[in-house]
Amino acid sequence: MNTADLRLPVDVPSTALFTDQYELTMLQAAMKAGTAGRRSVFEVFTRRLPSGRRYGVVAGTGRVLDAVENFRFDPDVLGFLRERAIVDEETLAWLADYRFSGDVWGYPEGEVYFPGSPILRVEGTFGECVLLETVILSILNHDSAIAAAASRMSSAAGDRPLVEMGARRTHELAAVAAARAAYVGGFSSTSDLAAGFRYGIPTVGTSAHAFTLLHDRERDAFRAQVESMGRGTTLLVDTYDVTEAVRTAVEVAGTDLGAVRIDSGDLLLVAHRVRQQLDELGATGTRIIVTSDLDEYAIASLAAAPVDSYGVGTQLVTGSGHPTCSMVYKLVARADSTDPAAPLLPVAKKATGGKTSIGGRKWAARRPDAEGVAEAEVIGTGPIPPELADRALLVPLVKGGEVVAREPLDTARTRHITARAGLPLSATQLSRGEPVIPTEYVRGLAG
């Protein structure tokens, strides 16, 4: 069974109102001006990476495809718009029949990106494309921020697995999206069952401090858990005294105890002491899991500690200090009439303060050096140079309104590992720095 095809409580019947009011009022005005039917090209990009970040991670693409498919104005939604007098009857009639019929190209999910990268390109009439701006940005900005944080954490963790456990630190639906994005970025599992059910992500979890506090003695709690879940379970050992808890845990479960979890204290020091104690008790195969407000820096600081896996919550689901990617959705080309054959003309906003953009439908390619390591993100308009054709980054996602690029989440996760490995080694440094490769622009025809 493909759980992604199920209609679960974490889904909504329509994404049409996940938008800002001005998208609809622009549509109404464009319809009256006779310009809503002009062929147009919108692109999603960011002008800069969050401070100190050396690469970005594309995540949420699969959710964007779902959102585009579900962008429908049903009677209840139309009734709301009519009641509020947000748009006129002519526009409501147009919205009632709305189905996106254009094309979408984009960086495949899990790929890395840099300033200016045309992460998503949406083509169709102005009317059908402009409505998608807010929902596309809300998904990509959130999910890509989480995936970027997850990527830094998974890089710092090396071969040690990471558990996403931030559901209680964010909105209940954002938690599901965050777990999905974290998986793309390199996490191995989640504690959130909705994410496991919706996206097939492996789920884990055993007990919290409340379970120990419920029982008269810590030993009683450990015994109850082992009898219920088996000797391979994970026992939480920092409710009272860690040393005594570890001793009790091995006495109750035996040397086959699966793991112990440490959730407080000086994790580096405590992990070393617990490892030594476990080995002395003969539980040499018992793993140590650490949690407690971890981020990529804390994970890196534990690289030399005898830790087997990490659980991360708050810092992950908040993007580890950068909860958005500042992506924008800009019109970059449009026709001068509603004739489908009319050529596209490049357009761009001119502004001060770093908010300028470059007009024209763009392609992107990542140029490697002689060793096969990425050395530049090359972006241009017009035909792509032959020497870069096999390095093109954008792939078709939607053609004629039909989704053509759905894929398993594991494919995106594997793609990210490959893409990150293709960057210079400095990409994984946690110290602040500029993007690990520069963005170069090639001027050409608008296309």
Side-chain angles (χ1 to χ4, degrees), residues 2-198:
N2 182 3
T3 56
D5 291 335
L6 296 175
R7 291 296 175 259
L8 308 180
V10 295
D11 284 334
V12 293
S14 169
T15 53
L17 291 184
F18 289 169
T19 192
D20 292 303
Q21 180 167 314
Y22 69 54
E23 313 291 9
L24 273 66
T25 54
M26 280 194 290
L27 168 66
Q28 176 178 300
M31 288 177 63
K32 290 188 178 300
T35 54
R38 288 185 175 185
R39 191 159 60 102
S40 301
V41 179
F42 286 82
E43 288 176 353
V44 175
F45 62 94
T46 185
R47 296 183 177 94
R48 63 192 66 84
L49 297 179
S51 177
R53 295 290 169 89
R54 301 186 179 224
Y55 62 92
V57 181
V58 178
T61 308
R63 297 208 308 120
V64 165
L65 298 180
D66 291 341
V68 171
E69 276 196 336
N70 291 327
F71 207 90
R72 303 283 188 270
F73 291 84
D74 59 33
D76 288 340
V77 170
L78 293 170
F80 166 78
L81 298 176
R82 180 178 288 109
E83 178 185 344
R84 298 290 182 92
I86 291 172
V87 290
D88 60 21
E89 288 298 324
E90 180 185 2
T91 307
L92 288 171
W94 190 93
L95 293 174
D97 295 327
Y98 180 87
R99 300 290 186 275
F100 180 72
S101 63
D103 300 333
V104 179
W105 290 69
Y107 280 38
E109 191 158 20
E111 184 58 83
V112 296
Y113 71 87
F114 298 91
S117 296
I119 297 163
L120 202 73
R121 190 175 74 213
V122 182
E123 304 184 24
T125 66
F126 176 84
E128 65 181 336
C129 294
V130 74
L131 295 183
L132 299 175
E133 175 181 4
T134 304
V135 69
I136 285 176
L137 287 179
S138 66
I139 292 172
L140 292 180
N141 268 314
H142 173 269
D143 290 23
S144 296
I146 305 304
S151 179
R152 286 163 60 86
M153 293 174 188
S154 65
S155 178
D159 294 331
R160 299 171 178 177
L162 292 145
V163 181
E164 184 282 315
M165 46 195 308
R168 63 192 64 189
R169 296 292 185 256
T170 189
H171 183 278
E172 66 271 19
L173 299 187
V176 182
R180 183 187 183 281
Y183 191 69
V184 170
F187 274 56
S188 302
S189 55
T190 179
S191 64
D192 190 88
L193 291 178
F197 189 56
R198 178 70 177 85

Side-chain angles (χ1 to χ4, degrees), residues 53 145-146 148-150 153 164-166 169 187 292-299 311-323:
R53 295 290 169 89
I146 305 304
M153 293 174 188
E164 184 282 315
M165 46 195 308
R169 296 292 185 256
F187 274 56
S292 184
D293 292 326
L294 298 178
D295 61 10
E296 60 264 50
Y297 301 102
I299 291 169
V312 189
T314 303
Q315 291 301 317
L316 175 66
V317 299
T318 56
S320 195
H322 297 293

Side-chain angles (χ1 to χ4, degrees), residues 75-426:
D76 288 340
V77 170
L78 293 170
F80 166 78
L81 298 176
R82 180 178 288 109
E83 178 185 344
R84 298 290 182 92
I86 291 172
V87 290
D88 60 21
E89 288 298 324
E90 180 185 2
T91 307
L92 288 171
W94 190 93
L95 293 174
D97 295 327
Y98 180 87
R99 300 290 186 275
F100 180 72
S101 63
D103 300 333
V104 179
W105 290 69
Y107 280 38
E109 191 158 20
E111 184 58 83
V112 296
Y113 71 87
F114 298 91
S117 296
I119 297 163
L120 202 73
R121 190 175 74 213
V122 182
E123 304 184 24
T125 66
F126 176 84
E128 65 181 336
C129 294
V130 74
L131 295 183
L132 299 175
E133 175 181 4
T134 304
V135 69
I136 285 176
L137 287 179
S138 66
I139 292 172
L140 292 180
N141 268 314
H142 173 269
D143 290 23
S144 296
I146 305 304
S151 179
R152 286 163 60 86
M153 293 174 188
S154 65
S155 178
D159 294 331
R160 299 171 178 177
L162 292 145
V163 181
E164 184 282 315
M165 46 195 308
R168 63 192 64 189
R169 296 292 185 256
T170 189
H171 183 278
E172 66 271 19
L173 299 187
V176 182
R180 183 187 183 281
Y183 191 69
V184 170
F187 274 56
S188 302
S189 55
T190 179
S191 64
D192 190 88
L193 291 178
F197 189 56
R198 178 70 177 85
Y199 297 115
I201 302 169
T203 58
V204 297
T206 51
S207 66
H209 294 101
F211 185 76
T212 300
L213 295 170
L214 169 69
H215 293 81
D216 296 333
R217 299 183 304 166
E218 192 170 47
R219 180 180 298 273
D220 296 336
F222 288 173
R223 181 177 293 112
Q225 185 174 328
V226 170
E227 289 177 354
S228 173
M229 303 178 192
R231 297 178 185 274
T233 192
T234 298
L235 296 177
L236 182 58
V237 295
D238 73 329
T239 305
Y240 304 117
D241 179 83
V242 173
T243 301
E244 182 61 29
V246 170
R247 181 181 301 111
T248 302
V250 175
E251 289 175 357
V252 170
T255 56
D256 293 333
L257 173 63
V260 295
R261 178 163 74 96
I262 307 166
D263 188 52
S264 60
D266 183 336
L267 298 179
L268 179 62
L269 175 63
V270 175
H272 277 287
R273 288 178 174 173
V274 169
R275 180 74 272 161
Q276 179 179 355
Q277 185 181 9
L278 287 170
D279 291 345
E280 290 173 350
L281 293 170
T284 56
T286 299
R287 295 170 294 110
I288 296 175
I289 300 170
V290 296
T291 53
S292 184
D293 292 326
L294 298 178
D295 61 10
E296 60 264 50
Y297 301 102
I299 291 169
S301 73
L302 292 168
V307 172
D308 296 282
S309 63
Y310 307 92
V312 189
T314 303
Q315 291 301 317
L316 175 66
V317 299
T318 56
S320 195
H322 297 293
T324 182
C325 302
S326 299
M327 292 178 185
V328 294
Y329 183 96
K330 295 298 181 183
L331 180 67
V332 297
R334 52 86 175 169
D336 61 2
S337 74
T338 57
D339 182 352
L344 289 171
L345 306 174
V347 294
K349 175 182 177 180
K350 293 183 179 180
T352 59
K355 282 197 170 185
T356 57
S357 56
I358 297 173
R361 178 206 275 135
K362 299 173 194 69
W363 51 261
R366 191 161 300 138
R367 189 178 67 234
D369 63 16
E371 304 300 322
V373 178
E375 67 175 11
E377 191 88 339
V378 186
I379 299 168
T381 56
I384 185 170
E387 66 272 17
L388 293 175
D390 63 346
R391 299 285 178 172
L393 291 165
L394 278 79
V395 299
L397 302 174
V398 178
K399 298 192 74 173
E402 298 295 325
V403 173
V404 296
R406 278 209 171 84
E407 60 185 11
L409 198 57
D410 279 318
T411 300
R413 187 171 185 270
T414 300
R415 180 182 294 117
H416 176 62
I417 294 170
T418 301
R420 189 177 64 191
L423 298 176
L425 288 176
S426 57

